[in-house]
Amino acid sequence: MKTSTANSLTLYTFAMSHYSEKIRWTLDHSHIPYREVRMTPVFHILPALRMGRRGQTTLPILQTPKRSIQDSTRILDWLIEHYGPLDVLPKTQLTQIRDVERRFDAIGKDVARFLYANSFGSADAHIIRLWTDYATPGQAAFIRRAYPLIRWAFKRKLSINPKRAALAQARITEVMDWLEAQLADGRTYLVGTHLTAADITAAALLAPIACPAQHPVYGEPLFAQSMAAAIAPWRHRAALQWVRRIYELHRGQFFSDLSSDQQAAKRSA
Ligand SMILES: N[C@@H](CCC(=O)N[C@@H](CS)C(=O)NCC(=O)O)C(=O)O
């Protein structure tokens, strides 16, 4: 592993973002030190536009000493270029891994749409808590006051309506069918014989539905309870059991949950 830039990576995320979790997990698993900045929705918009320079407001964004990279796929490209070959992105299986990555990235918006469609109106207090967990007091007060407007804007941006939610459910089911077909021969890993970015992407993108215990947001019993009815049709599917197993086997500790001494030790390792 090349380590010249290891001391100076900052990952901008939302705690609950599944695309952010894909990168956070890749960095954690690859022992690449970074600082995580968990952002507050709405207040992420200007920094994301400024850092991303692509007219887009999405997170994750990885800030490196030379530039900022927006979009999880582009971040993996950058990691391959600067830290490769990584154990989770072996050169010989890159094409297959990136195919799986594309397949699961493609349902990310559907997963978000499905979750919000099933929690706006019924679990608003919980959403406000998740959105304000890392906010300053002023930001939190703003989110609470403007919540109805933000929810409306969110619904518009993500096209959250019954028809699109049903379509999202169908697409997610399709991907679970595909995943189960891959696992039918008893394999643990989607590509090759050890954990790769294919598994990380699949598990991270389905974590909001699988609710693995190790996930700080989706593993919370309160979250699982608030989504229980919506998730019920999928709850026992082998695809979601696989997600929980991959988390159990490989998620390990979140870098941002280490004490500052532990983080410093990793940075200087
Ligand atoms: N293609 C992007 C998608 C990222 C994405 O959709 N992120 C969501 C959170 S899960 C986001 O930042 N939404 C807020 C926004 O679009 O302003 C990636 O792979 O990073």
Side-chain angles (χ1 to χ4, degrees):
M1 182 176 86
K2 300 170 207 164
T3 54
S4 55
T5 50
N7 292 326
S8 41
L9 300 181
T10 302
L11 183 66
Y12 291 85
T13 66
F14 293 125
M16 59 191 298
S17 153
H18 41 5
Y19 291 102
S20 299
E21 166 68 347
K22 166 183 162 189
I23 298 303
R24 201 164 37 197
W25 192 349
T26 301
L27 293 171
D28 286 342
H29 190 84
S30 307
H31 305 292
I32 299 174
Y34 62 102
R35 187 172 72 96
E36 182 176 0
V37 176
R38 295 186 178 174
M39 304 198 84
T40 299
V42 180
F43 295 93
H44 76 288
I45 294 175
L46 285 179
L49 285 172
R50 203 179 53 238
M51 286 188 283
R53 294 165 171 266
R54 303 162 69 229
Q56 291 184 28
T57 59
T58 59
L59 301 179
I61 292 177
L62 184 71
Q63 192 176 59
T64 79
K66 291 209 171 128
R67 64 189 182 106
S68 295
I69 301 126
Q70 185 175 42
D71 189 280
S72 62
T73 297
R74 298 173 74 238
I75 295 173
L76 290 191
D77 291 342
W78 187 89
L79 289 174
I80 291 170
E81 195 181 321
H82 292 81
Y83 287 85
L86 292 179
D87 208 35
V88 294
L89 288 158
K91 232 180 186 166
T92 49
Q93 289 157 329
L94 218 44
T95 309
Q96 288 158 277
I97 292 169
R98 309 279 341 230
D99 279 351
V100 175
E101 182 200 354
R102 260 190 296 280
R103 185 181 293 272
F104 283 88
D105 277 353
I107 57 147
K109 288 235 170 347
D110 286 315
V111 171
R113 196 171 280 131
F114 176 81
L115 288 184
Y116 282 115
N118 285 286
S119 48
F120 278 152
S122 59
D124 290 318
H126 189 57
I127 297 176
I128 291 174
R129 212 211 72 208
L130 290 177
W131 284 2
T132 54
D133 260 354
Y134 299 93
T136 63
Q139 290 173 336
F142 174 85
I143 297 276
R144 277 195 289 272
R145 210 169 318 122
Y147 180 73
L149 184 67
I150 301 170
R151 187 176 69 178
W152 173 83
F154 231 81
K155 278 184 164 176
R156 270 184 70 98
K157 186 171 179 203
L158 263 181
S159 308
I160 296 173
N161 56 56
K163 198 171 153 197
R164 292 297 296 272
L167 188 60
Q169 187 162 356
R171 284 192 185 139
I172 296 165
T173 304
E174 219 171 88
V175 165
M176 286 191 202
D177 291 344
W178 179 87
L179 179 54
E180 287 175 5
Q182 304 305 301
L183 302 173
D185 59 6
R187 71 179 62 195
T188 303
Y189 303 107
L190 290 171
V191 179
T193 54
H194 70 273
L195 187 85
T196 67
D199 308 298
I200 289 179
T201 306
L205 270 285
L206 287 177
I209 294 170
C211 302
Q214 296 73 15
H215 196 292
V217 173
Y218 301 114
E220 257 195 31
L222 200 61
F223 173 82
Q225 277 160 26
S226 71
M227 289 302 294
I231 293 170
W234 293 317
R235 191 174 167 72
H236 298 294
R237 286 202 58 157
L240 298 189
Q241 285 168 15
W242 175 84
V243 171
R244 292 182 205 113
R245 182 159 163 68
I246 291 293
Y247 261 87
E248 199 181 308
L249 288 173
H250 294 292
R251 183 57 188 91
Q253 197 156 17
F254 284 61
F255 187 73
S256 52
D257 289 340
L258 300 176
S259 71
S260 46
D261 285 352
Q262 288 170 319
Q263 289 193 3
K266 276 208 166 207
R267 282 202 184 91
S268 58

